Amino acid sequence: MTQEHQNKSGFETRAIHAGYEPDVMTGAVIPPIYATSTYKQDGVGGMRGGYEYSRSANPTRTALEGVIAALEGGERGFAFASGLAAEDTLVRALCRPGDHVVIPDDAYGGTFRLFDKVEQVWGLAHSPAPVSDVAAVTAAIRPGETRIVWVETPTNPLLNIGDIEALANVAHDAGALLVVDNTFASPYLQQPLGLGADIVVHSTTKYCGGHSDVVGGALVVSDLDMAEKVAFHQNSMGAVAGPFDAFLTHRGLKTLGVRMDRHCDNAEKVVAFLEDHPKVADVIYPGLAAHPGHDVAKRQMKRFGGIVSFRVTGGEQHALDVCAKAEVFTLGESLGGVESLIEHPGRMTHASVAGTDLEVPADLIRLSVGIETADDLLADLDRALA
Ligand SMILES: *Cc1c(COP(=O)(O)O)cnc(C)c1O
């Protein structure tokens, strides 16, 4: 698809056609898995299409990078071996020892560990602030030192909402960049670059891949100088997505729109069911008018996503029992795949923050609502709660 045609196309059309033209030689409609490390040169330096060595570029990865950039409305995309590999590459491309980063006070655990246990050793300081409180984020910025304001929205597992536009203004006023981890929303529901963010980060392991069969990460940027920096670090650090992984993630992205709509449909039904259930004390979902971030979420998201958290009436043991009794909801970490997952954040994904300010309630359950038949999901929850 030509660039001009691509810019005018709808989301689903871009998801299926952007970033790849049917193979010139064979007409292959889908980018083949180019399982090759190197490329024959037509005379010294005579590279075909710029391909020289697969750390630097591989056609399967190029196709994925093109489509993710098109879906986020950015100029360039970069695919990595994991979300955390993407994050580390970005941080080292942008920050130097002595710099400072503001991170969400409920950041994804792996992101917090990366800043706290890895980047800090290399002289990068960080301060946590609640993404839902623009004034608190502003107060956490150290003018002249803060290089990045890092935001997740919605956050995990309490689904707090950050106002991307307001946070971009605050970051830019202080000479910092706004990075948005868009993993929970996916580009179908939210496109941070259009709201003023400078860089979008993904764990493509989740909704982008969407089938729980591959680990991967991505960065998307609008600014071409920034793209050059990221490209240099991607090649220099080498944490790239391999061709098999890139193929799977690319295949997943083609159906992102239809999957997300079904995730949202099912999540809305689950929310309505839980709200009426006598053994449920509280339902947390940005689509609920009572959610403190509802208005902001409504402004910046197309719909409210597939993650639902709730608290049960019977305390921690009750929550553990529900997790154990669910059958259609598989007990497991991660999220964003076609299958529904259930987990107990306090004992599983968020066990490492027990006893800190980031501790989550012991009676909390997190659902990643999949795309199975909705009635089966409701019946399963009813049985598990009984
Ligand atoms: C999973 C996740 C990550 C980390 O990605 P990996 O692919 O597991 O390295 C980062 N941010 C969020 C919000 C995530 O859910």
Side-chain angles (χ1 to χ4, degrees):
M1 191 159 63
T2 64
Q3 189 67 39
E4 194 200 341
H5 192 177
Q6 178 179 309
N7 293 344
K8 282 190 293 204
S9 304
F11 186 91
E12 291 83 351
T13 309
R14 277 178 278 144
I16 293 165
H17 294 290
Y20 179 70
E21 288 294 335
D23 184 63
V24 191
M25 214 162 71
T26 64
V29 168
I30 298 299
I33 301 170
Y34 283 89
T36 189
S37 59
T38 190
Y39 305 83
K40 172 179 160 55
Q41 302 191 7
D42 299 318
V44 175
M47 290 178 281
R48 301 182 193 178
Y51 292 105
E52 179 181 28
Y53 181 64
S54 277
R55 170 163 36 71
S56 312
N58 173 286
T60 317
R61 196 175 94 219
T62 303
L64 168 62
E65 292 177 332
V67 72
I68 187 103
L71 294 183
E72 286 288 0
E75 283 296 327
R76 281 194 59 190
F78 300 91
F80 294 87
S82 69
L84 288 177
E87 294 183 18
D88 183 37
T89 304
L90 178 66
V91 168
R92 288 202 261 172
L94 299 181
C95 299
R96 295 293 173 267
D99 286 348
H100 171 256
V101 176
V102 179
I103 60 171
D105 68 355
D106 54 355
Y108 171 74
T111 299
F112 177 73
R113 184 177 56 203
L114 177 69
F115 282 108
D116 196 50
K117 298 284 194 290
V118 180
E119 312 294 4
Q120 186 152 260
V121 174
W122 299 95
L124 184 67
H126 61 83
S127 307
V131 296
S132 57
D133 184 344
V134 178
V137 172
T138 310
I141 292 175
R142 299 181 190 166
E145 282 176 41
T146 303
R147 188 79 185 111
I148 294 176
V149 175
W150 189 285
V151 167
E152 290 172 27
T153 179
T155 64
N156 176 22
L158 294 172
L159 307 175
N160 290 313
I161 301 293
D163 182 334
I164 296 172
E165 214 165 353
L167 292 165
N169 288 335
V170 158
H172 294 158
D173 284 350
L177 297 164
L178 185 74
V179 173
V180 175
D181 180 335
N182 204 26
T183 299
F184 267 46
S186 90
Y188 182 67
L189 299 181
Q190 174 172 281
Q191 292 162 17
L193 297 175
L195 296 164
D198 300 284
I199 301 116
V200 168
V201 176
H202 276 286
S203 168
T204 54
T205 313
K206 317 293 168 52
Y207 287 108
C208 289
H211 295 74
S212 304
D213 54 6
V214 59
V215 170
L219 299 174
V220 183
V221 303
S222 310
D223 180 80
L224 290 175
D225 287 340
M226 176 105 63
E228 283 309 314
K229 268 190 209 167
V230 172
F232 175 81
H233 283 79
Q234 182 191 40
N235 185 45
S236 302
M237 294 169 64
V240 295
F244 291 86
D245 291 357
F247 173 86
L248 284 173
T249 305
H250 187 227
R251 179 161 81 162
L253 277 173
K254 288 177 190 290
T255 56
L256 181 65
V258 288
R259 281 189 289 107
M260 288 314 293
D261 269 328
R262 181 61 70 87
H263 281 295
C264 294
D265 289 345
N266 282 357
E268 287 166 13
K269 288 176 187 161
V270 164
V271 165
F273 169 82
L274 292 174
E275 282 232 295
D276 277 347
H277 201 286
K279 292 196 172 161
V280 173
D282 191 21
V283 183
I284 302 164
Y285 187 64
L288 291 169
H291 186 288
H294 177 68
D295 291 340
V296 174
K298 204 166 160 181
R299 214 184 315 130
Q300 67 190 18
M301 298 177 78
K302 186 181 168 94
R303 298 182 69 182
F304 303 100
I307 308 297
V308 178
S309 294
F310 66 102
R311 299 177 71 173
V312 291
T313 52
E316 180 172 35
Q317 192 54 50
H318 185 193
L320 294 171
D321 290 345
V322 172
C323 290
K325 279 200 228 159
E327 287 175 15
V328 183
F329 280 86
T330 302
L331 179 62
E333 300 194 357
S334 196
L335 58 108
V338 290
E339 67 290 314
S340 291
L341 297 174
I342 189 167
E343 70 122 356
H344 184 265
R347 294 279 187 99
M348 295 169 65
T349 50
H350 291 66
S352 64
V353 295
T356 73
D357 289 348
L358 308 192
E359 188 172 59
V360 295
D363 55 11
L364 186 78
I365 292 172
R366 186 190 76 187
L367 304 176
S368 172
V369 180
I371 64 171
E372 299 96 334
T373 310
D375 286 345
D376 294 334
L377 300 180
L378 305 186
D380 194 44
L381 289 172
D382 203 28
R383 193 166 49 231
L385 279 159

